[in-house]
Every structure is written in structure tokens, then in C-alpha cells.
Amino acid sequence: MSNCLQKVIGFQFNFLYSSNVKKFPYIIKRGQVMTQLSYKSANELAKMVLDKEISSSELLEYFIKRVESYNPSINAIIVKNYDEARKQARELDEKLLKGEILGALHGVPMTVKESYGVKNTPTTYGRPDLKDNIVKEDALSIQRLKNSGAIIFGKTNVPFNLADFQSYNDIYGTTNNPWNLAKVPGGSSGGSAAALAAGLTGYETGSDIGGSIRNPAHYCGVFGHKPTWGLLPPRGHALPGSLAQSDLTVIGPLGRSAKDLETGVLIMGGPDEIQSAGLKMDLQRSEKKDLKEYKIAAWVNDDIAPVNQEVQNRVLKVAKTISDSGGEVNFEARPDFDMLQAMDTYQSLLLPTMASRTSDDEYNLLKEKLSKLDPSDTSESAYTLRKQTSSLRDYNNANNDRTHLRWKWHEFFKRYDALITPVMATEAFDHNHLNYGERTIMVDNDERPYFEQVFWAGIAIASYLPSTVIPTGLTEEGLPIGIQIIGPEYGDLKTIGLAKLLEKEGYNFIPPSNYPD
């Protein structure tokens, strides 16, 4: 490498691999974009390990060094699993020297959301009463990731009970957005997205019931995928004693490229052991190779849950990219049902599901409040309380309504390949630790209810639809904005396929500049 090129690229470090000394530039040139090693995708990192440009152990130590340098200000990684990770990395290096490759993530160091069971680490859901809950075995998805060669070296922060658009709790404190520490990283997979955006980890996986993968991906400028419900078995991503998959909740990957999302779905997806005698995963991939082949519906804004002009502009921008490429975009197309009723159905499923996570004392308090509620009270808090404590009959009726919605979506996606919409009402907002009922969000100078934003997440969640978030660049204030691509049930590789095409058009991960090597 010439001295001139070394100056352009930045600087080099020496890595030891086996008995040979190799030089590897921490910064490489991809077209016109300079990409640090820490900001490469998981698939790129895996290829480097397989090509013996860097060892698993060296890559792990590299990320550990970054965590020790930058995590204190961000507080994304709150459980460290270094010793076990180092042991695993050495074993992977030995296997590779023998020509053995475990899978697509061989040698990639990664962190996972705190709510995943990882052997000998705490899983608390941010709840002080569970601070001593040390898990005895890996969740199924963690087993599958490890079997693919991933190295789990830490866990990332969450909000209390995984129930917020922010990520803070009394055990681990507050996680900050790497782009602006005064802003939220999202929730409940906020630590996951923050760690990825700051280049503290090679890969991540989170969970979503009300946007908990998607809003952090949006706020932090990374890729995220909420899978079709049940496609990725969540066994082991649970509170103590919980084994049944809860309604609405899914687990899913976050990464710095769309391909990373596809890799995560294929690794973690497929039936659990109890189903495997009769079921297998056989997802259809998109046959479309160019944006001009797509017929897309675009939902830019809605009076039910208004979004600011900047977010609207990003949906319009993506739509224009598709139409300029020759694709068809329809801004009026919607499934054939009343959206207000659909959101009521979603809340009728979401709120009792979330209430099921509470302790006996917390739930009894809800019932006590209900007993004192004025029957004529139609406030938002009264609505929420009634849904939280609703009966099995109420739930089954809502499930029946949801099934009608699923069939309406099925018909809709016979006409359109995907639907693009906002993820949240705004870019990342300032930390706000007020009581839920006291919080609001400013949308273009209009003060709106805080949880109104769950509308955009609920579009996909309520009907089990997959949704892929892609970054669309930064605002003038330097904050990321993402949009979501929603598709038909089990169309996960189709929404990710469209994301991969849009990534080639410039909708890619942009790293923050304040976390250099």
C-alpha cells in the first residue's frame, strides 16, 4: 500500500493471525464512503474472519476495546459476558484453522437485548424485583445464533417491563442516543440499536410488540426487522416461568445492512422442536430484481396519529425513488377496513397482553382502580384500564376481529407488493422520565399524546405482518429517520428484499463521526 493511499485511508493496525503478522486497515474505502471496521455489516465481518483477514479473537477484542471506550457515555451494553465470549472465540479460531465453519455468523461478536436468556447472565426486563434472575440456559434463538458462529459478549439495555419508547430502568440506568446523548435511542430494544449505531457490536437482536425493534432502528439510523408472528420462536425470551408465546410479541434482528436482517431471520427462524415433526420454514423470496418491478402503496400521514413534515418527506422520498425507477406508487390505497376500529382491535389485544407481564400486586391494583371507575368515564386512562383488565370473552372477540383484518390484508397484498409508512411521529426526542400519563410529544408545534405514536407500529403488529425498517439519512440537526416497509404474512424475505434494493439506492447505514478508532 502506498504512503499516499495510507493517508487517504487513515491508519493501520497490526493483527496477529496464527503465526503470521497481517496488516489490516481499520478504515476501508467503499465507493466514496469511508467505513470503519466497527461499522461494517455482520456479513462483511463474517467474510473477513473466513478469509482470515482477522481472527474471531482479534475481532472480539476490538469490539471490547470500543465498548470500554465509548459505552460509558451511551450506556447501551449493560451486561458483559467477556470471559465466555473469549473462550468461544478461541474455539471458533481453532475450528477455522481445521477448515470447520459453523455458519453464516462464524466469528462475529454480537450483543443481544437484555430480555433474551443467555446462560449465566441476568434477564430482568428492567425490573428491580428480577435483578437476581440469573438464567440457567440459552434461549432457543441464542442457541441458533451460537450454532451459526456468533459470539455473544454482552446484553443491551431495555425499559421497565419492555414497555416504552425509551430505554431506562432502576437497575441499569438510562441509555442515550449515540447521535445526541440528550435524545432517546428508542425502546424497548433501545440498547440494541444504540450499540449498533455507535459501532460497539457486530450484530444485534431485539423484540417487538409495539414498535420495540422498529422505533429504535428509526431513532438510531440502523436496519431492523419485525418478523411475522411466530416465525422466529421466542422460547427463552421470557420472564421466569413463561413458556407460551404471548400474542403480538416477536423477536427479530437489527443490523447495519438489510442483508444482516435476512441472515438473522434465516438463522433464528423455523419451528421449535415441538413443531418440527410436521412444520418447516420455507419462505418465499422476492422474484423482483429491480425497483421498476414494484407496485407499492404509500401511507404518508394520518389524522389518527400525525407525523411531522420531516418524517412525511422521508416516506415521500422513498416513494419517489421507487417511482423514478419505473415502479408504481399509490398514495391512496388502503386495506378495506376502518382504521379506527382496527386500532381498537389492536389495543384490545395489546393492553391485556402487556398487563399479563405485571406482578400479582400490580394487576390487583389495576382491578381495584377498575372497581372505582365511573362507568361514564370515557377518558384515555379509563379506556386503557378497561382494556388491561378485560375478560377472556373480550379478548376472543378481539382476536376474531383481528382475523378478519388479516384476511383484508391478505387481499390487499394481492394487489400491492408492499406498504411504506412512517415508523414514529418524529425523529428522536429528549429524554422524558415523567409518568406515562404526563408525557406528550411535539409534532410540528402540535402537542400530541405520547403513546398515540404506537398507531404506526400497530398497523403491522395487530395483523401479524412483517415490517422492515430502513434508514433514510439525517435531519438538519443530525438525527436519523427511518421508514418501514410492511408486507404480507410470511413475506419477510420480500420486505427485506425491497430494503436491499433501496439500500443500493443510498438508503444505507450512516455512522456517527464521534466514535472513531
Side-chain angles (χ1 to χ4, degrees):
M1 182 181 293
S2 70
N3 290 334
C4 179
L5 185 55
Q6 286 185 26
K7 290 180 181 178
V8 172
I9 290 179
F11 46 84
Q12 292 182 318
F13 282 78
N14 290 331
F15 286 100
L16 292 177
Y17 190 84
S18 187
S19 61
N20 299 319
V21 178
K22 288 194 171 188
K23 288 187 175 181
F24 175 78
Y26 267 62
I27 301 179
I28 66 167
K29 191 171 183 180
R30 180 199 289 166
Q32 299 300 311
V33 181
M34 305 303 285
T35 304
Q36 284 181 197
L37 174 61
S38 54
Y39 293 129
K40 293 174 73 66
S41 71
N43 279 277
E44 290 172 324
L45 294 173
K47 185 176 186 302
M48 289 172 54
V49 172
L50 296 188
D51 290 345
K52 299 184 179 179
E53 296 178 14
I54 189 171
S55 72
S56 303
S57 295
E58 291 162 344
L59 191 56
L60 173 62
E61 295 302 328
Y62 168 77
F63 278 112
I64 288 176
K65 182 178 179 180
R66 285 186 61 82
V67 170
E68 295 303 308
S69 296
Y70 295 122
N71 189 63
S73 65
I74 301 170
N75 195 37
I77 297 172
I78 41 74
V79 175
K80 297 174 181 178
N81 194 31
Y82 293 171
D83 290 344
E84 180 63 28
R86 285 171 170 141
K87 177 183 177 182
Q88 186 184 0
R90 290 193 296 269
E91 292 172 353
L92 288 167
D93 286 334
E94 292 172 2
K95 288 182 180 295
L96 188 58
L97 289 173
K98 298 174 183 177
E100 300 176 26
I101 300 171
L102 285 192
L105 294 176
H106 189 107
V108 176
M110 69 174 290
T111 50
V112 300
K113 188 175 182 177
E114 199 266 2
S115 47
Y116 281 82
V118 177
K119 187 178 180 179
N120 297 327
T121 69
T123 293
T124 72
Y125 277 46
R127 290 172 44 165
D129 62 311
L130 294 177
K131 64 182 176 63
D132 297 322
N133 178 47
I134 305 301
V135 177
K136 296 181 179 179
E137 62 181 2
D138 291 334
L140 174 62
S141 51
I142 300 302
Q143 295 173 30
R144 290 177 173 181
L145 287 164
K146 286 183 176 180
N147 290 340
S148 78
I151 302 168
I152 314 296
F153 73 97
K155 300 178 80 174
T156 47
N157 205 15
V158 298
F160 178 84
N161 248 359
L162 314 186
D164 203 348
F165 303 140
Q166 308 174 62
S167 292
Y168 70 93
N169 59 74
D170 290 339
I171 303 174
Y172 302 119
T174 300
T175 298
N176 303 314
N177 191 311
W179 291 93
N180 183 333
L181 300 181
K183 305 292 184 180
V184 303
S188 59
S189 309
S192 302
L196 277 170
L200 307 184
T201 185
Y203 197 40
E204 253 289 350
T205 185
S207 60
D208 192 314
I209 191 173
S212 288
I213 288 171
R214 290 165 291 161
N215 76 65
H218 156 72
Y219 287 145
C220 293
V222 299
F223 290 81
H225 182 70
K226 183 213 85 67
T228 300
W229 186 83
L231 181 65
L232 278 59
R235 179 162 57 88
H237 177 276
L239 293 168
S242 296
L243 188 57
Q245 179 172 7
S246 74
D247 195 3
L248 304 175
T249 304
V250 299
I251 61 171
L254 296 96
R256 288 187 286 264
S257 75
K259 186 177 180 181
D260 284 357
L261 304 182
E262 180 178 270
T263 298
V265 167
L266 294 176
I267 289 173
M268 293 185 284
D272 202 343
E273 182 179 352
I274 202 169
Q275 305 163 309
S276 60
L279 299 178
K280 68 175 183 178
M281 184 173 73
D282 186 20
L283 297 175
Q284 292 182 352
R285 295 178 180 269
S286 175
E287 297 178 353
K288 303 180 190 306
K289 306 300 182 184
D290 195 286
L291 291 177
K292 67 182 178 182
E293 301 174 54
Y294 279 87
K295 184 178 181 181
I296 301 297
W299 196 339
V300 180
N301 196 13
D302 201 289
D303 290 340
I304 297 175
V307 302
N308 71 17
Q309 190 59 55
E310 186 73 70
V311 171
Q312 293 180 51
N313 289 344
R314 299 312 175 88
V315 181
L316 291 168
K317 180 181 178 183
V318 173
K320 187 175 187 300
T321 298
I322 295 170
S323 61
D324 285 352
S325 299
E328 181 180 341
V329 180
N330 188 320
F331 290 92
E332 305 298 327
R334 302 288 185 271
D336 184 24
F337 55 74
D338 182 272
M339 190 50 63
L340 277 174
Q341 292 180 3
M343 283 299 105
D344 180 69
T345 297
Y346 173 47
Q347 297 289 347
S348 299
L349 298 165
L350 174 67
L351 293 172
T353 298
M354 295 297 290
S356 70
R357 296 179 181 175
T358 60
S359 67
D360 290 344
D361 289 343
E362 290 168 329
Y363 191 72
N364 287 334
L365 182 59
L366 291 177
K367 291 196 294 183
E368 182 180 344
K369 290 180 178 180
L370 179 68
S371 68
K372 299 176 181 178
L373 191 65
D374 187 335
S376 64
D377 188 345
T378 58
S379 65
E380 182 180 345
S381 60
Y383 173 89
T384 298
L385 184 59
R386 291 187 180 104
K387 296 293 186 185
Q388 289 173 316
T389 55
S390 57
S391 68
L392 178 60
R393 180 177 184 274
D394 294 330
Y395 178 86
N396 283 339
N397 286 335
N399 183 43
N400 185 61
D401 291 340
R402 184 250 306 278
T403 306
H404 282 279
L405 298 178
R406 290 172 63 195
W407 281 101
K408 294 290 187 181
W409 279 114
H410 181 69
E411 292 301 317
F412 178 82
F413 286 117
K414 288 181 179 179
R415 304 190 302 274
Y416 295 92
D417 298 306
L419 169 68
I420 58 174
T421 83
V423 180
M424 299 293 283
T426 68
E427 60 274 24
F429 54 88
D430 291 342
H431 295 288
N432 184 344
H433 296 180
L434 294 173
N435 293 329
Y436 288 157
E438 300 176 55
R439 298 180 193 174
T440 58
I441 190 84
M442 295 301 297
V443 181
D444 287 340
N445 300 316
D446 183 17
E447 192 171 20
R448 307 292 304 186
Y450 182 77
F451 280 109
E452 178 182 77
Q453 301 175 86
V454 81
F455 168 84
W456 296 103
I459 292 173
I461 280 282
S463 296
Y464 295 161
L465 304 175
S467 172
T468 304
V469 172
I470 62 169
T472 67
L474 307 179
T475 66
E476 289 184 3
E477 295 181 356
L479 293 172
I481 289 180
I483 65 102
Q484 64 177 332
I485 303 167
I486 300 173
E489 283 190 56
Y490 299 103
D492 296 72
L493 298 187
K494 295 180 178 180
T495 60
I496 294 173
L498 177 53
K500 290 164 73 173
L501 291 177
L502 288 166
E503 186 178 12
K504 291 179 181 179
E505 296 295 322
Y507 298 96
N508 52 3
F509 169 71
I510 301 172
S513 61
N514 49 342
Y515 305 101
D517 286 310

